[in-house]
């Protein structure tokens, strides 16, 4: 991307540790963007069951499909099953349709009933306040720098 873009580059996806933030920088990104990690915090206004699923899930529990909204996204397998779908045998979506309301023609609504999460879920094992998540990211980042003898 640097060959054709000299503005800020943000890298995201499965970043859930300070080590990974440093790796993003090493790969040439200016910023690391973290989504899923912040779902497992008291501040996140998602249902408690959603947070529990985040703690339980591993990368293999993430389903990548365009069925629910018309654009591809990652979802927690258990919420897909709970909505009445077989994650191994999802119907094909209509590529001309984007629908952020009902999910794949079901009564369920995407994001309210079918829950997004990225493959980094396996690294998340506790619901802790955002300030603690950030402090841990910072400590891990500093430790990774020390390990690589960067000062
Ligand atoms: C609840 C939730 C909703 C999301 N909604 C969208 C979305 O509408 N469009 C999109 O491009 N990505 C969406 N994402 C994916 C984020 O962009 C993704 O989380 C980001 O790339 C960071 O990756 P990470 O979650 O592995 O940290 C969503 C992610 C979550 C957790």
């Amino acid at each position: 991307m640097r060959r054709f873009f000299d503005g800020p580059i943000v890298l995201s996806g499965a970043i859930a540790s300070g080590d990974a933030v440093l790796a993003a920088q090493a790969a040439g990104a200016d910023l690391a963007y973290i989504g899923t990690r912040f779902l497992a915090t008291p501040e996140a206004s998602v249902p408690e069951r959603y947070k529990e699923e985040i703690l339980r899930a591993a990368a293999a529990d993430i389903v990548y499909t365009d069925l629910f909204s018309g654009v591809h996204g990652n979802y927690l397998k258990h919420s897909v099953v709970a909505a009445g779908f077989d994650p191994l045998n999802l119907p094909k979506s209509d590529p001309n349709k984007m629908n952020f309301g009902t999910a794949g023609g079901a009564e369920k609504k995407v994001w309210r009933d079918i829950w997004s999460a990225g493959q980094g879920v396996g690294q998340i094992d506790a619901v802790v306040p955002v300030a603690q998540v950030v402090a841990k990211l910072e400590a891990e980042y500093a430790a990774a720098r020390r390990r690589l003898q960067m000062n």
Side-chain angles (χ1 to χ4, degrees):
M1 283 186 67
R2 276 284 174 238
R3 287 188 189 167
F4 61 83
F5 184 67
D6 62 5
I9 292 178
V10 183
L11 183 68
S12 77
I15 296 176
S17 69
D19 313 52
V21 174
L22 185 60
Q25 272 185 310
D30 299 292
L31 297 161
Y33 173 95
I34 299 176
T36 300
R37 182 61 192 89
F38 289 102
L39 291 171
T41 60
E43 289 91 340
S45 59
V46 300
E48 287 307 308
R49 289 261 300 119
Y50 191 165
K51 297 179 190 180
E52 287 160 20
E53 292 291 345
I54 297 274
L55 303 189
R56 283 199 333 176
D61 297 312
I62 303 303
V63 179
Y64 183 63
T65 177
D66 62 355
L67 175 67
F68 302 122
S69 70
V71 289
H72 273 95
N74 286 321
Y75 301 93
L76 285 164
K77 189 162 75 183
H78 286 111
S79 70
V80 173
V81 173
F85 294 96
D86 173 359
L88 293 177
N89 197 12
L90 289 172
K92 278 253 158 285
S93 81
D94 179 344
N96 298 315
K97 275 197 196 138
M98 266 202 226
N99 178 357
F100 296 99
T102 54
E107 291 292 293
K108 303 285 181 177
K109 271 185 122 175
V110 67
W111 295 306
R112 187 196 65 190
D113 303 306
I114 301 176
W115 299 332
S116 267
Q119 284 89 352
V121 281
Q123 299 173 68
I124 306 169
D125 47 24
V127 175
V128 291
V130 168
Q132 272 183 46
V133 173
V134 173
K136 188 161 179 274
L137 288 169
E138 192 178 5
E140 289 166 348
Y141 181 84
R145 285 183 63 97
R146 280 195 300 276
R147 209 165 52 241
L148 297 172
Q149 287 160 10
M150 302 165 75
N151 287 309

